[in-house]
Amino acid sequence: MFEQSAALRRVKPSATLAVTQQARELARAGRDVISLGAGEPDFDTPQNVKDAAIRAIQDGKTKYTDVDGIPELKQAIVDKFARENGLTYRTSQVNVSPGGKPVIYNALVATLSPGDEVIVPRPYWVSYPDMVLLAGGEPVFADASAETGFKLTAAALEAAITPRTRWLILNSPSNPSGAAYTRAELRALADVLVRHPHVWVLTDDMYEHLVFDGFEFSTIAQVAPELMDRTLTMNGVSKAYAMTGWRIGYAAGPEPLIKAMAKVMSQTTSNPSSISQWAAVEALNGPQDFIPTNAKLFQDRRDLVVGMLNQASGIECATPEGAFYVYPSIRQVIGKTTENGQVIGSDEDFARELLTAEGVAVVHGEAFGLSPHFRVSYATSTDVLEEACRRIQRFCGGLR
Ligand SMILES: Cc1ncc(COP(=O)(O)O)c(C=O)c1O
């Protein structure tokens, strides 16, 4: 009989991938479905990046590479951190993995022993707790609810730290809430960390370039240089350059950690695709002008979605600083009944009934650890977003 390992039994499959899959299956069965579940930009990889990949293939750059990345890409990453974040790293401090996800997982596998704790602000990106569990650690949740703008406060961080804490995971702008930390907010968290030298910080800056209304992005190593020797600054090309399928993520941090991560890769994945690495070199070194253009596009979509969702009966939607998600509350909807007689007892019920009644796929808040909410990804066209929000308004309007 098939049996999952003890480690895997602690883990649940990704809820966001499950919703996308469910929406795809309904669409295949002929239903008119709008999926607001996917976490990927709807625009194409830039042509200069595609051309670099084609050149790499034609030039025979198709063999194994250094396990944790080619020197040219590591240099492009060092340059990116210097140019955009004012951070000084050497190439020996850089890891390139097959996506942002493996960067985080490799760091956790490389550092966690049984019983070690990782502080995960809640709501969280679905994969953090399960990656911690799979790596043998224990996630410890710290509230970052709507009352504090979905941000971890210094007091909540202080309360979550124990002698077993190894890491704090920060994610700004956040998936699922879109919240981004200001310099002052990061400084307040850093002041707590300074008092606890055994706690390291893994900062996931995947959505760095998607910030709105003139918000200035900051990352903790920049705000608190004294934490540099225990911070892993993680990023990737997936979201900023519309390269989700290419699978390139990267991070920079203390050399012993980077070496340990390479050791994990040497016995598991080996290097990320050589072709994708050359494409990423071009993404980071090539023209960057489309980035602010896209950010403006996403800002307009955010405004549309926030406006329309707040007009839906029972929905309260905050205006986030970045990313391409909103995380509205459905507190006032809980306990109501749909036109089909189904009681909405949870955000999971809400998401299911919305999909059944109106063919709109969203991800329930429980998957991100904070209910009753749901996550909307607005990485899709304005027409589609308007139609989806109209359907959500109709669905909510029909609840009694
Ligand atoms: C916050 C966050 N970090 C990391 C990732 C993973 O990125 P990648 O597709 O490069 O593995 C995602 C993707 O959804 C994300 O939302």
Side-chain angles (χ1 to χ4, degrees), residues 39 99-102 104 125 128 171 175 204 206-207 234 238-239 247-248 325:
K101 250 181 191 169
I104 302 166
W125 177 45
Y128 299 139
N171 173 216
N175 177 1
D204 177 343
M206 269 308 213
Y207 297 94
M234 175 256 170
S238 296
K239 316 283 173 170
R247 310 311 302 137
I248 296 289
Y325 307 104

Side-chain angles (χ1 to χ4, degrees), residues 161-384:
I161 295 174
T162 77
R164 296 305 307 262
T165 309
R166 284 301 301 271
W167 289 99
L168 161 67
I169 299 185
L170 282 179
N171 173 216
S172 170
S174 149
N175 177 1
S177 71
Y181 290 81
T182 63
R183 274 189 91 87
E185 287 161 345
L186 288 175
R187 187 61 251 177
L189 296 178
D191 288 344
V192 174
L193 294 168
V194 166
R195 293 197 293 276
H196 300 278
H198 66 293
V199 181
W200 287 45
V201 191
L202 196 169
T203 172
D204 177 343
D205 299 347
M206 269 308 213
Y207 297 94
E208 163 181 18
H209 290 297
L210 293 174
V211 286
F212 314 132
D213 305 323
F215 184 92
E216 201 180 314
F217 172 82
S218 311
T219 189
I220 194 156
Q222 173 188 29
V223 174
E226 67 272 40
L227 297 180
M228 207 46 187
D229 61 359
R230 48 184 164 118
T231 298
L232 185 68
T233 305
M234 175 256 170
N235 212 314
V237 295
S238 296
K239 316 283 173 170
Y241 301 94
M243 292 176 68
T244 46
W246 297 72
R247 310 311 302 137
I248 296 289
Y250 59 84
E255 221 172 283
L257 170 62
I258 296 299
K259 280 213 178 82
M261 290 166 71
K263 185 170 158 190
V264 175
M265 294 176 79
S266 74
Q267 296 292 24
T268 54
T269 56
S270 285
N271 61 275
S273 151
S274 56
I275 300 153
S276 296
Q277 289 190 68
W278 284 104
V281 170
E282 174 61 23
L284 292 175
N285 287 347
Q288 308 288 312
D289 44 307
F290 65 92
I291 289 179
T293 313
N294 281 334
K296 177 70 177 74
L297 192 79
F298 279 116
Q299 180 180 315
D300 292 344
R301 290 172 178 179
R302 177 205 62 174
D303 292 342
L304 171 84
V305 169
V306 170
M308 287 187 76
L309 288 180
N310 277 321
Q311 284 162 17
S313 168
I315 292 185
E316 295 161 278
C317 185
T319 303
E321 293 90 349
F324 42 62
Y325 307 104
V326 289
Y327 198 59
S329 163
I330 51 162
R331 207 166 34 91
Q332 298 174 46
V333 165
I334 297 297
K336 294 200 168 170
T337 305
T338 67
E339 286 174 345
N340 303 335
Q342 301 292 325
V343 177
I344 308 282
S346 66
D347 51 30
E348 192 166 5
D349 293 344
F350 178 84
R352 189 187 54 248
E353 294 308 319
L354 177 64
L355 184 58
T356 308
E358 292 287 352
V360 177
V362 297
V363 186
H364 56 290
E366 198 258 338
F368 307 97
L370 187 73
S371 294
H373 286 262
F374 67 100
R375 188 194 76 172
V376 164
S377 164
Y378 54 82
T380 188
S381 74
T382 307
D383 291 351
V384 171

Side-chain angles (χ1 to χ4, degrees), residues 50-62 274-276 278:
K50 292 183 183 176
D51 290 342
I54 293 165
R55 267 197 314 278
I57 295 172
Q58 285 168 341
D59 294 349
K61 291 172 173 162
T62 52
S274 56
I275 300 153
S276 296
W278 284 104

